[in-house]
Amino acid sequence: MNFRAVLYILGWILNIEGAFMLLPFIVALIYGESSGFSFLIVGIISMIIGLIIVLRKPKNMTFFAREGFAVTALSWIVLSIFGCIPFIINGDIPVFTDALFETASGFTTTGASILNNVEALSHASLFWRSFTHWLGGMGVLVFLLALVPMTGGSHMNIMKAESPGPSVDKLLPKVRQTAFVLYAIYFGLTALELIFLIAGKMPVFDAITTAVGTAGTGGFGIKSDSMASYSPYIQWVVGVFMMLFGINFTFYFLLIIKKFRQAFALEEVRKYILLIIAATAIIIISIMRSGAFIEMPFTDKLRHAFFQVSSIITTTGFSTVDYDYPNWPLIANIVIVALMFIGACAGSTGGGIKVSRVSILFKTVKKELTLFFHPKRVVLIKFDRKPVAHETIRTTNVFIMAYIFVFVASVFLVSIDNFDFTTSFTSVAATLNNIGPGLSNAGPTESFAAFSHFSKYVMIFDMIAGRLELYPMLILLTPEFWKSVFSPNRGIRVYK
């Protein structure tokens, strides 16, 4: 284990977080709030610690898989711990467990909250909550790779450990160039949404926090009713941009370099769009058949259905209505729960299992069924009209098994609080898939405040594990990993 290199990266993470904490301080100055000084103090302390660490760069900056997983998991833990301290100091969230839950939920773009009265927070705290979504959406380590030149190692291992999806490819020859392009697209889409929101006469502060929350597919609202009190125009804008941020960013890169045919030929993007259309249609039909919102115009039903589908499949978590049963029919809730697990595209800011993995899984089942009747037939699994490598199929299957294990174990642990099954099941689904609201006592009009401290720590683990695609956090729990940390010549053997 190259511990010096890992510590060096953590130092830069603290520098970046400390620098960004100046933004909520500036917000506090604008609104004349004293709460901003907590962010200034913690930001300065964070940068001092970070500068001390990075003053001496290690000679060996080689990163193998274990270093990539270690620095990724530890970075998100450190981010969450330092990021929650200002909430405690300024008194907006005085309890450490609650502050850590809220901050981890922000950085992992989950949007699950322990707050019952969001409006009671200062503008500085509201801004920081939403801005953590933007930082965590594309990934802080990807941001680091875009800004800080690091040579002499396999830094693709860092991007693979942090970026969502069954496989991560470089868009350009160098990792730093790829990271820069990803953040350029990310920033461009965020700015475009901000323009549309301000054009709809949304207050500037509301527009900024909503835009960064949408970009990171996070879902922290600055109002207790989320997006319900905003105009239909703003809800349409947010709904469309949630869908756009759930698309694989390779699609946008191909559009930029004018490879339109390749862009629209991406199988995952097509299935993602079709899934949104189908889910929206099913929910509208179920609402109309149930007689719910019978006096509501069809255009409003369409808007609410599309918004919730876009919000859940991209794991954003904004809401315009209380879709919990019996307000919406049971079939609509089942569709929403299914979308929680499927999630958005790989290579997007969305969470969940990912459309590509689900598609590969179904194709694998279809292949096995075909071979059952035709055992000598050669059947290739194709994705984007190309054969899928056996390694990708294997990692997809292993990921699903690990996902089921973590999910079942988490539901079992959370059930100790003795809530009803729907609450326990969907609270874990909402945190592991980085969605935010679940159903019942964890529904869109409720909060996670009633859960015990133990359950909150379980869900904090789930939020970080879900954002990092399980493995970085699971590896931290293995004895072999710690053997490799304290005894570099022993323990697990990994390759570039």
Side-chain angles (χ1 to χ4, degrees):
M1 169 68 71
N2 190 347
F3 187 74
R4 288 179 178 268
V6 171
L7 188 63
Y8 180 77
I9 299 299
L10 292 178
W12 273 111
I13 292 297
L14 287 174
N15 286 333
I16 292 172
E17 183 173 30
F20 278 121
M21 279 189 182
L22 296 178
L23 294 178
F25 171 68
I26 294 172
V27 171
L29 290 179
I30 294 173
Y31 287 94
E33 298 172 342
S34 60
S35 61
F37 287 102
S38 63
F39 292 95
L40 178 63
I41 293 169
V42 177
I44 292 173
I45 293 173
S46 179
M47 285 190 286
I48 290 174
I49 297 173
L51 286 172
I52 292 174
I53 294 174
V54 302
L55 277 177
R56 188 175 180 180
K57 184 177 180 179
K59 294 181 180 179
N60 179 17
M61 281 297 293
T62 303
F63 267 82
F64 295 95
R66 62 182 170 187
E67 283 84 6
F69 283 127
V71 76
T72 301
L74 293 175
S75 293
W76 285 75
I77 294 171
V78 168
L79 277 170
S80 299
I81 293 174
F82 275 82
C84 81
I85 297 174
F87 292 133
I88 302 171
I89 295 175
N90 63 30
D92 279 340
I93 310 177
V95 180
F96 174 76
T97 301
D98 290 344
L100 182 63
F101 183 96
E102 198 79 7
T103 308
S105 179
F107 277 115
T108 59
T109 74
T110 302
S113 179
I114 51 84
L115 299 171
N116 293 312
N117 184 14
V118 177
E119 287 93 339
L121 268 62
S122 63
H123 285 84
S125 293
L126 286 173
F127 176 84
W128 182 241
R129 283 173 79 244
S130 296
F131 192 71
T132 53
H133 284 333
W134 197 85
L135 282 175
M138 186 57 65
V140 184
L141 288 169
V142 174
F143 182 81
L144 177 66
L145 291 173
L147 293 183
V148 181
M150 292 186 292
T151 57
S154 304
H155 301 116
M156 192 63 186
N157 283 314
I158 298 178
M159 184 172 286
K160 285 180 178 179
E162 188 178 52
S163 301
S167 62
V168 178
D169 298 317
K170 291 188 289 186
L171 302 178
L172 293 169
K174 295 183 178 180
V175 173
R176 189 183 180 191
Q177 292 174 332
T178 299
F180 183 82
V181 167
L182 288 173
Y183 255 98
I185 295 170
Y186 189 46
F187 182 83
L189 283 173
T190 307
L192 185 62
E193 182 186 1
L194 181 61
I195 292 171
F196 275 101
L197 292 175
I198 293 176
K201 299 181 180 180
M202 193 179 199
V204 175
F205 181 79
D206 297 34
I208 292 173
T209 53
T210 301
V212 295
T214 306
T217 60
F220 271 153
I222 61 171
K223 295 185 178 182
S224 296
D225 66 357
S226 190
M227 301 299 298
S229 58
Y230 292 108
S231 67
Y233 166 84
I234 290 174
Q235 292 177 3
W236 274 115
V237 169
V238 175
V240 170
F241 272 93
M242 285 191 295
M243 180 184 70
L244 294 177
F245 279 107
I247 292 176
N248 192 323
F249 274 40
T250 301
F251 174 80
Y252 300 120
F253 176 74
L254 292 173
L255 291 181
I256 291 171
I257 62 177
K258 298 181 179 180
K259 293 186 177 180
F260 303 111
R261 182 175 295 181
Q262 291 185 31
F264 289 100
L266 292 175
E267 182 179 341
E268 184 179 28
V269 175
R270 297 199 313 272
K271 289 182 176 180
Y272 168 74
I273 299 297
L274 288 173
L275 195 57
I276 290 175
I277 294 172
T280 303
I282 292 172
I283 289 176
I284 290 175
I285 294 171
S286 67
I287 290 175
M288 294 177 69
R289 284 177 58 88
S290 69
F293 306 106
I294 191 168
E295 296 180 357
M296 182 182 290
F298 176 79
T299 53
D300 290 347
K301 292 177 183 177
L302 174 62
R303 170 166 47 86
H304 291 309
F306 168 73
F307 188 96
Q308 295 313 145
V309 167
S310 182
S311 178
I312 296 300
I313 195 172
T314 60
T315 68
T316 305
F318 284 136
S319 60
T320 57
V321 292
D322 182 4
Y323 51 79
D324 200 359
Y325 181 81
N327 297 312
W328 276 16
L330 183 60
I331 185 65
N333 276 208
I334 291 174
V335 170
I336 285 173
V337 172
L339 295 178
M340 286 182 181
F341 289 96
I342 296 172
C345 297
S348 71
T349 60
I353 294 174
K354 302 296 180 301
V355 175
S356 57
R357 280 201 184 98
V358 174
S359 180
I360 291 172
L361 190 64
F362 272 101
K363 290 184 178 184
T364 303
V365 173
K366 182 181 177 181
K367 173 187 174 181
E368 293 303 317
L369 290 175
T370 301
L371 291 176
F372 180 79
F373 292 104
H374 307 282
K376 294 184 179 181
R377 185 175 176 179
V378 177
V379 181
L380 292 177
I381 296 175
K382 292 186 177 182
F383 198 79
D384 286 332
R385 300 177 182 179
K386 299 176 183 177
V388 179
H390 175 73
E391 181 66 15
T392 302
I393 298 172
R394 185 189 67 82
T395 55
T396 299
N397 294 337
V398 172
F399 175 85
I400 296 298
M401 291 305 299
Y403 179 94
I404 293 172
F405 171 78
V406 172
F407 183 83
V408 172
S410 298
V411 171
F412 174 79
L413 294 173
V414 170
S415 66
I416 295 174
D417 282 354
N418 204 31
F419 286 111
D420 60 273
F421 177 76
T422 301
T423 299
S424 300
F425 185 90
T426 60
S427 64
V428 172
T431 50
L432 185 59
N433 294 311
N434 305 134
I435 292 162
L439 297 173
S440 192
N441 292 327
T445 60
E446 304 292 336
S447 75
F448 287 71
F451 286 92
S452 66
H453 286 265
F454 174 77
S455 292
K456 287 173 184 174
Y457 281 111
V458 171
M459 288 186 277
I460 288 170
F461 175 87
D462 287 345
M463 287 188 284
I464 299 177
R467 172 58 183 85
L468 301 180
E469 306 266 284
L470 302 182
Y471 296 122
M473 292 297 287
L474 290 179
I475 283 177
L476 290 185
L477 302 179
T478 61
E480 290 81 2
F481 172 80
W482 294 105
K483 285 181 181 179
S484 71
V485 171
F486 297 107
S487 301
N489 297 323
R490 297 169 56 194
I492 55 175
R493 186 180 181 185
V494 292
Y495 299 89
K496 286 186 180 181

